[in-house]
Amino acid sequence: MADNETPVRFGIIGCAEIARKMSRAINLSPNSTLYAIASRSIEKAKNFAIKNSLLSDSIKLYGNYIELLNDPFVDAVYMPLPTSFHLHWAILAAEKKKHLLLEKPTALNVTQLDKIIEACERNGVQFMDASMWYHHPRTAKMKEFISDPKLFGQVKAIHSSSSYSPGPEFLENNIRVKPDLDALGALGDAGWYCIGAILWAMNQNLPTTVTALPTVARNSAGVILTCSASLYWEKDETVATFYCSFVSHETMDLRVYGSNGTFYLYDFIIPMDENSASFSFTSGAKFLDLHIGWNVKPQAVEVNSKLPQEASMIQEFSRLVKAIEVSKSKPESKWPYSSRVTQLVLDAVNKSIDLGFQPVHM
Amino acid sequence: MADNETPVRFGIIGCAEIARKMSRAINLSPNSTLYAIASRSIEKAKNFAIKNSLLSDSIKLYGNYIELLNDPFVDAVYMPLPTSFHLHWAILAAEKKKHLLLEKPTALNVTQLDKIIEACERNGVQFMDASMWYHHPRTAKMKEFISDPKLFGQVKAIHSSSSYSPGPEFLENNIRVKPDLDALGALGDAGWYCIGAILWAMNQNLPTTVTALPTVARNSAGVILTCSASLYWEKDETVATFYCSFVSHETMDLRVYGSNGTFYLYDFIIPMDENSASFSFTSGAKFLDLHIGWNVKPQAVEVNSKLPQEASMIQEFSRLVKAIEVSKSKPESKWPYSSRVTQLVLDAVNKSIDLGFQPVHM
């Protein structure tokens, strides 16, 4: 792969539902190609390939993960395994010199994540978690707005939510609510995005305290189905709240309150339309005389994109891989950093719940 | 006033800025008329009348409050006095058999409010706090949506905000931040609406616990400029959060998350347009195959109104006054009830702050 023309060859480890979307993204991104698929059996890998029209001579199928990691032609792996398996397989991937695109939540806790990140650093491979929304051009546009001292000012408050309601069967039996597979439940799955969005708005600065709100619902195995928390930055007097749930109607809210402006969107994780996404902002709003109306209304900003956000993520990841492999650049540290602060806050929410909703100082 | 044709004659006690809007509303409402204005001096009353084109032979001006209350032709008073003065003047108004439309926050605490409500009950006069938004037809439309078990389902979470940024001079010198006048600061002024909206969504059911978030900012006199809190209903596993502030850009958010639907609006307290207001809802949202979009988008519901919401409030208040005076009905108890639960939660937020952000059980 020591030239800039060859696309980055991806191996997918684990045929989760989300891998369907990602295999499409790998093929849509101009600098990557889907090279191999590994599942727990060759039948599973084949079925996945057939179901997603991926079966061809150019795609290798593996009946176990280690064979894919031993394939010298695999440059990078996308790993949508249950969280409990990340520590083992992510470290092994790094040791096999595979660049690592890891599904969220990245690990069961930050101690595990640090081991994964450290393995990537030691082996000179790129680490990135597969939070797609960071890579949508809309996100960059929102950052521009939020960074404008006149239009937006200082961040004062943030509210985010991530919820969906997959039904009673899911709540007891899905991987995402199994204590031995995805023990973090709705906090790890849906809450990951809320925490990430809040930290994104705060330029990845850790809050002073994290306090879970006394509103945790769990399934019969004790896995979180709903939770809420508040984050507080003492120096800036900024407060953030989030709500994540597997028992509430579909939401993906991000609302940011600044001193001079505000913005909101309702689909920050998955845009309602693939090629055109929007957010709305208000700046300099005042009441009309007699307080019988507003001088300005929220304005929608439309952002078009040629690629779906997940393909933009693959493209960015592959660009970094190429920079490392061809130009001998160092891996980009901002991606493991943002994963790490997200995981740190997630751990703090969990700790606060365990402490009976006491504040956890960061 | 013992007939249905004569309009209810209002006296305004206190020439606050908001009284300008309300004097217009009293004249717009078809069953009321502005009859008298009282200020601390006759010059202040006159200046107010001139400034608002109200000076005429048919409007009486008083240089003190008691003369207005002694005027037998005054049926009802609208009282926008600083909160510290409510206890004294509201009770006196009730004893003078004046129906009482009282500005929010209704009192410094629920003990005071109970005395006011009790005085109104004893004297058979209607009590209502002047929260206008309850009376907009949009609010009724939202209630319809939220009450639909199929479209909306059970309320799972609520977020509300009320903020504006009137500048540094206001933060030290305005009535709303003076400990001897409006000691409740942003919590009493802006927070009143958030708490009211949350309780409105929960059919005025009190939460199990109220917990202030560790994010209180105060001015040099110790009056709250920003605060946040969470409310929790144990039985329903419902959580609500709110943010109120005098140092953040203008917001009036209400976002309600149900099991089957959600709705939001950004101007619930004062609609952006006087005669046409909207809210947006989503119901039955699912992801498209491959999770590359949504099957439905938020739908805006437009609600037109002939009268501004504050005139609708006056109309409803006057209708109740007429029902009492002409048809010998009992005062409508739902209005003092909703003020009382709002004040109770407001007190609990204050108490939680004083306890170092510990939960307060209701």
Side-chain angles (χ1 to χ4, degrees), chain A residues 106-333:
Chain A
T106 47
L108 292 173
N109 52 56
V110 80
T111 311
Q112 288 194 355
L113 177 59
D114 280 346
K115 288 180 185 161
I116 295 170
I117 292 174
E118 201 262 323
C120 289
E121 282 173 359
R122 200 171 53 236
N123 290 285
V125 295
Q126 182 65 47
F127 173 93
M128 185 186 277
D129 81 56
S131 300
M132 305 164 180
W133 72 275
Y134 295 124
H135 304 273
H136 198 290
R138 172 174 67 175
T139 307
K141 202 79 195 162
M142 293 192 298
K143 197 68 185 182
E144 249 177 59
F145 174 63
I146 208 175
S147 307
D148 189 314
K150 220 169 143 181
L151 278 178
F152 188 79
Q154 200 206 330
V155 178
K156 292 291 184 180
I158 309 164
H159 182 69
S160 179
S161 76
S162 171
S163 62
Y164 54 106
S165 182
E169 157 72 12
F170 176 104
L171 299 182
E172 290 299 331
N173 300 318
N174 190 275
I175 286 172
R176 289 188 179 83
V177 294
K178 286 286 180 193
D180 53 339
L181 297 171
D182 269 309
L184 299 171
L187 175 60
D189 182 54
W192 178 271
Y193 293 112
C194 301
I195 295 168
I198 290 167
L199 290 169
W200 168 86
M202 294 302 286
N203 293 320
Q204 310 295 349
N205 285 319
L206 280 175
T208 320
T209 55
V210 172
T211 316
L213 306 183
T215 177
V216 176
R218 297 177 188 271
N219 70 3
S220 60
V223 175
I224 291 172
L225 303 179
T226 298
C227 78
S228 260
S230 70
L231 288 70
Y232 177 54
W233 288 258
E234 194 171 19
K235 195 177 134 254
D236 310 300
E237 291 182 343
T238 303
V239 65
T241 49
F242 74 83
Y243 168 73
C244 61
S245 179
F246 285 157
V247 298
S248 196
H249 181 257
E250 200 124 310
T251 65
M252 297 179 161
D253 295 5
L254 178 58
R255 170 73 160 156
V256 188
Y257 305 78
S259 48
N260 304 331
T262 48
F263 81 85
Y264 67 84
L265 68 167
Y266 285 101
D267 58 351
F268 82 95
I269 305 167
I270 300 177
M272 291 178 189
D273 282 325
E274 196 167 48
N275 297 315
S276 170
S278 70
F279 68 96
S280 292
F281 79 91
T282 314
S283 182
K286 297 280 169 213
F287 294 128
L288 302 176
D289 185 40
L290 290 177
H291 287 202
I292 55 173
W294 297 48
N295 65 334
V296 291
K297 293 183 187 183
Q299 287 181 53
V301 177
E302 195 98 4
V303 182
N304 297 316
S305 54
K306 280 182 213 155
L307 286 178
Q309 61 180 0
E310 56 275 16
S312 298
M313 174 177 72
I314 297 287
Q315 187 179 22
E316 173 61 6
F317 182 78
S318 300
R319 188 186 67 76
L320 296 170
V321 168
K322 279 287 173 190
I324 295 163
E325 299 285 346
V326 180
S327 318
K328 307 299 169 200
S329 301
K330 282 199 168 182
E332 171 59 72
S333 62

Side-chain angles (χ1 to χ4, degrees), chain A residues 21 253 255 266 291 297, chain B residues 21 253 255 266 273 291:
Chain A
K21 180 177 184 172
D253 295 5
R255 170 73 160 156
Y266 285 101
H291 287 202
K297 293 183 187 183
Chain B
K21 181 177 184 172
D253 294 5
R255 170 71 160 157
Y266 284 102
D273 282 326
H291 286 202

Side-chain angles (χ1 to χ4, degrees), chain B residues 22-55:
Chain B
M22 288 296 288
S23 58
R24 171 174 174 265
I26 291 166
N27 285 332
L28 281 172
S29 163
N31 56 354
S32 64
T33 188
L34 181 56
Y35 173 81
I37 297 163
S39 193
R40 279 168 291 169
S41 73
I42 195 79
E43 289 72 31
K44 279 180 193 277
K46 198 174 170 183
N47 283 341
F48 178 85
I50 292 169
K51 191 175 171 195
N52 295 287
S53 312
L54 296 167
L55 204 59

Side-chain angles (χ1 to χ4, degrees), chain A residues 66-80:
Chain A
I66 191 69
E67 280 180 49
L68 185 147
L69 292 181
N70 282 330
D71 185 330
F73 292 101
V74 171
D75 303 313
V77 295
Y78 165 62
M79 192 179 284

